[in-house]
Amino acid sequence: MADKPRWFQTTAIDYPNSRPHIGTAFEKVGADVQARYRRMEGYDVFFLMGNDENTVKVSKRAAELGLDPQAYCDDMARQFREVWDALDISYDTFVQTSGERHKQCARTFIQKVYDNGYIYKGSYEGLYCDGCEAFKTEKELENGNCPIHKRPVVRRSEPCHFFKLSAFGDRLLAFYEENPDFIQPESRKNEIVSLIKNDGLLDVNITRRGEAWGIPVPFDPEFTIWVWFDALLTYITGIGYGDDRATFDRYWPADTHFIGKDITRFHCALWPAMLWAAGEQPPRKVFGHGFVNNNGEKIGKTMGNVVDPVEIIARSNSDAYRYYFMRECPFPSDGDYSGQRYEEVYNSELANNLGNLFSREMTITYKNFGGVFAGTAGKTPEPVVPGLDLRAFVETVRGHVEGCRYNLVLQEIVQNFLTPTNQYLESNAPWKLVKTDPEAARRVLFNAVQSLRVASILLKPFIPRSAEAIYTSFNFPKPWAEVKYADAAELAPQPDDLRVTAELIDGKPKPLFPRIG
RNA sequence: GGCGGGGUAGCUCAGUGGUUAGAGCAAUCGCUUCAUAAGCGAUGGGUCGCCGGUUCAAACCCGGCCCCCGCUACCA
């Protein structure tokens, strides 16, 4: 246990303004695939998620609903977790930033940054709307008026605290240089580098005055901590920063922060600077994934086209949901969801290819051999895909998983492994062969079943339930909980005769992916 | 306005100088019938954004233009 490599990853901390949609879920599924893969490969994984609750918008929304902000946050957190659970997201902790522990640890952090001299008091000047009692950005204004109150805003300044972000520009550039993989994908890195080089970094106002909801600043309690500063801290307060140094030191620095491409700036510039200012190490990697569109249109509440993941799961199942988004939307880039495309991908790859392959192999075996491959104990299966170097194939897949190129992983498995297995069955036709040469037919099936074993192992991080159902339908020697990618790279003999262990009804397995549409 | 990415078959994309431009899905046809009306095979389908240039040869290199996306500035 002590020498187990550890893997700490996080997803973005979401605003609980409304229920999660397929775009929010895209990130969680992609991150979950990585977490499951790392666990398989023997890492001591810690997967952190959470909600960002200390915002003015949250307290306003709660007030609209006549709820206490805390009650509102707790209910939203419950709803978020319900969705994540429905998608089999295997998070280890879910942090609510309104929680007392987080607040206390966040105060410890900001105090440390203050003590180290990276926070100074100044004043913020901006455009203020008296109706909203809040500052507005120029972009929000409509002809110089507040878009809500239709009244002119006034220039106003008020005291605040600045974080000396400007002091870290050179250090950040040097850090990116020394750690070329820190920002993934590459295109996002170029944006940040050019931003810092061309425009430089300005000190940021990290406190707000007179807010009732939020975390009071320890060295100046009239102020609360700005939500971004607070939210980023979730990544460390969730693993013990501030009150459990041993756990913190075990998991920090994070191996990967999974975030949307729109917030790379905060994670790649502000966040490392904050950590340095507090005397801590920066994270190892930030992965800015792409966005999901709905029928080619950007998803947004104003667009009125948000899709609730639960609706899609209801039409199929969680594995199918995970498969679609990982297969159809390249994780580093944008992708698209449409009901029609969902059906196409589901039917073509899950039902017709993988599901049907499983089904036909099970049925032929049961009908002709009673589900037992007699005499196969100690026999090594033969390869079924002509010209495929299984070891190299698995390494290719592994490289794609580790690089979060999930769509390529699934493409590889379906096109270069499952389809050829269907072709192998077709050209050897064991259902015919059994009439003339039962031994040969049994050997063909014995070989073909190995493809299910290999595929189920490789697919385990993506479709955990179905992969388990396939694998445990046979008496493969290694327990499902212990399989690793390396097991997929080898065709090893079984200690005992291979046999079907799945429960069959009329000689048929329950379809893994019944066709839809 | 600046910087970056992109525009290839109905759809999603691969392909960075060299035989008739590829894959998957979708469509059409045939074979098969072990299997989830699934499988296998074949066929159709592209002026490779537009124009010009370099070259024996360009989707690929160069110049110009159009369009889409991202980051960012300025003006209002």
Side-chain angles (χ1 to χ4, degrees):
Chain A
M1 192 69 175
D3 56 351
K4 239 184 162 184
R6 56 82 174 163
W7 180 265
F8 175 47
Q9 65 169 52
T10 69
T11 56
I13 308 304
D14 299 308
Y15 284 109
N17 293 346
S18 56
R19 283 172 61 79
H21 55 72
I22 54 175
T24 328
F26 182 50
E27 170 180 292
K28 314 308 178 199
V29 174
D32 186 63
V33 168
Q34 194 64 218
R36 286 176 183 270
Y37 165 77
R38 297 288 168 176
R39 284 195 201 95
M40 271 178 86
E41 296 305 290
Y43 288 80
D44 168 18
V45 171
F46 197 86
F47 179 8
L48 180 149
M49 289 175 47
N51 278 1
D52 178 12
E53 303 169 326
N54 300 320
T55 79
V56 179
K57 277 185 184 173
V58 162
S59 61
K60 279 188 178 159
R61 179 79 187 126
E64 280 168 28
L65 297 170
L67 288 172
D68 166 66
Q70 189 65 59
Y72 172 78
C73 288
D74 291 347
D75 186 60
M76 287 309 287
R78 179 188 59 74
Q79 292 189 44
F80 270 66
R81 295 175 72 154
E82 268 175 19
V83 175
W84 305 148
D85 291 343
L87 287 168
D88 289 323
I89 307 301
S90 61
Y91 55 90
D92 294 294
T93 192
F94 190 92
V95 177
Q96 289 184 243
T97 61
S98 64
E100 215 35 64
R101 239 211 92 247
H102 170 80
K103 289 182 176 175
Q104 193 49 51
C105 296
R107 278 198 287 267
T108 303
F109 184 93
I110 200 170
Q111 182 69 49
K112 183 84 181 172
V113 175
Y114 184 75
D115 293 345
N116 288 345
Y118 289 104
I119 293 173
Y120 63 93
K121 197 155 186 177
S123 68
Y124 175 81
E125 189 180 288
L127 302 167
Y128 190 87
C129 171
D130 289 316
C132 297
E133 295 182 11
F135 285 98
K136 297 281 158 184
T137 62
E138 297 203 5
K139 275 188 177 174
E140 287 176 276
L141 302 182
E142 288 170 3
N143 302 319
N145 289 336
C146 166
I148 298 165
H149 297 89
K150 313 290 180 198
R151 279 192 281 171
V153 293
V154 293
R155 198 155 277 282
R156 170 170 164 174
S157 72
E158 73 173 39
C160 69
H161 300 268
F162 282 99
F163 170 62
K164 285 187 190 171
L165 181 61
S166 61
F168 294 95
D170 291 340
R171 191 168 175 185
L172 282 164
L173 289 173
F175 178 67
Y176 304 152
E177 191 84 19
E178 286 158 24
N179 302 279
D181 295 333
F182 174 65
I183 310 173
Q184 289 288 310
E186 188 84 19
S187 53
R188 300 265 90 82
K189 172 180 164 181
N190 298 337
E191 288 175 1
I192 298 293
V193 169
S194 71
L195 173 74
I196 297 179
K197 279 191 177 162
N198 299 337
D199 306 327
L201 293 168
L202 298 174
D203 291 345
V204 290
N205 172 6
I206 56 162
T207 61
R208 295 292 183 268
R209 193 170 68 158
E211 297 291 347
W213 180 248
I215 306 177
V217 173
F219 47 85
D220 201 344
E222 182 190 353
F223 293 84
T224 53
I225 304 176
W226 173 50
V227 284
W228 258 108
F229 199 92
D230 159 12
L232 287 163
L233 295 175
T234 308
Y235 301 142
I236 59 172
T237 65
I239 52 167
Y241 179 88
D243 62 5
D244 180 0
R245 192 72 204 185
T247 302
F248 176 70
D249 285 340
R250 181 148 133 241
Y251 289 110
W252 193 258
D255 292 280
T256 300
H257 290 309
F258 288 101
I259 56 161
K261 61 181 184 179
D262 54 333
I263 54 175
T264 47
R265 225 177 134 159
F266 295 103
H267 287 77
C268 297
L270 176 62
W271 181 224
M274 282 168 60
L275 288 158
W276 280 325
E280 304 294 346
Q281 287 181 272
R284 295 197 173 129
K285 184 178 286 190
V286 173
F287 192 99
H289 63 76
F291 288 155
V292 173
N293 291 321
N294 180 359
N295 270 309
E297 286 188 328
K298 195 173 171 170
I299 295 174
K301 265 177 289 182
T302 49
M303 295 289 295
N305 63 350
V306 292
V307 181
D308 193 321
V310 174
E311 288 172 25
I312 300 175
I313 296 171
R315 291 176 54 205
S316 50
N317 57 62
S318 61
D319 276 359
Y321 182 104
R322 296 164 62 98
Y323 188 90
Y324 176 82
F325 287 95
M326 293 298 98
R327 174 69 178 94
E328 194 61 14
C329 306
F331 201 53
S333 330
D334 293 352
D336 193 41
Y337 166 80
S338 80
Q340 186 190 340
R341 189 68 190 143
Y342 188 86
E343 278 181 20
E344 283 174 6
V345 171
Y346 177 98
N347 285 333
S348 153
E349 300 194 352
L350 290 177
N352 298 350
N353 201 326
L354 175 61
N356 185 55
L357 175 65
F358 171 73
S359 186
R360 68 198 301 209
E361 287 192 7
M362 296 287 281
T363 309
I364 315 170
T365 305
Y366 179 78
K367 277 190 183 169
N368 297 297
F369 303 104
V372 179
F373 296 83
T376 53
K379 293 238 170 83
T380 303
E382 302 157 48
V384 304
V385 183
L388 183 81
D389 177 340
L390 190 57
R391 198 161 293 227
F393 172 71
V394 170
E395 285 316 302
T396 299
V397 170
R398 182 198 298 283
H400 288 329
V401 172
E402 294 186 358
C404 300
R405 294 181 295 269
Y406 302 132
N407 61 318
L408 298 183
V409 172
L410 300 174
Q411 182 181 314
E412 276 287 332
I413 294 172
V414 171
Q415 291 179 20
N416 299 330
F417 195 70
L418 293 175
T419 291
T421 300
N422 271 315
Q423 290 165 339
Y424 173 81
L425 283 180
E426 210 63 38
S427 57
N428 290 285
W431 51 91
K432 281 185 188 165
L433 195 56
V434 72
K435 292 168 191 160
T436 54
D437 188 349
E439 271 319 302
R442 178 152 46 203
R443 204 160 54 241
V444 166
L445 285 170
F446 175 62
N447 295 336
V449 162
Q450 291 299 317
S451 289
L452 292 176
R453 185 185 64 85
V454 169
S456 65
I457 293 171
L458 297 178
L459 290 169
K460 185 177 178 183
F462 296 86
I463 49 172
R465 289 169 188 265
S466 315
E468 178 172 11
I470 293 169
Y471 189 90
T472 57
S473 289
F474 301 90
N475 63 328
F476 297 126
K478 193 156 189 179
W480 178 241
E482 291 170 22
V483 296
K484 292 180 182 315
Y485 264 36
D487 296 316
E490 232 186 316
L491 295 175
Q494 292 244 139
D496 48 356
D497 284 347
L498 179 68
R499 65 174 197 282
V500 173
T501 54
E503 192 187 327
L504 302 178
I505 299 156
D506 294 332
K508 297 185 175 208
K510 187 174 171 240
L512 292 172
F513 300 102
R515 283 178 59 94
I516 56 174

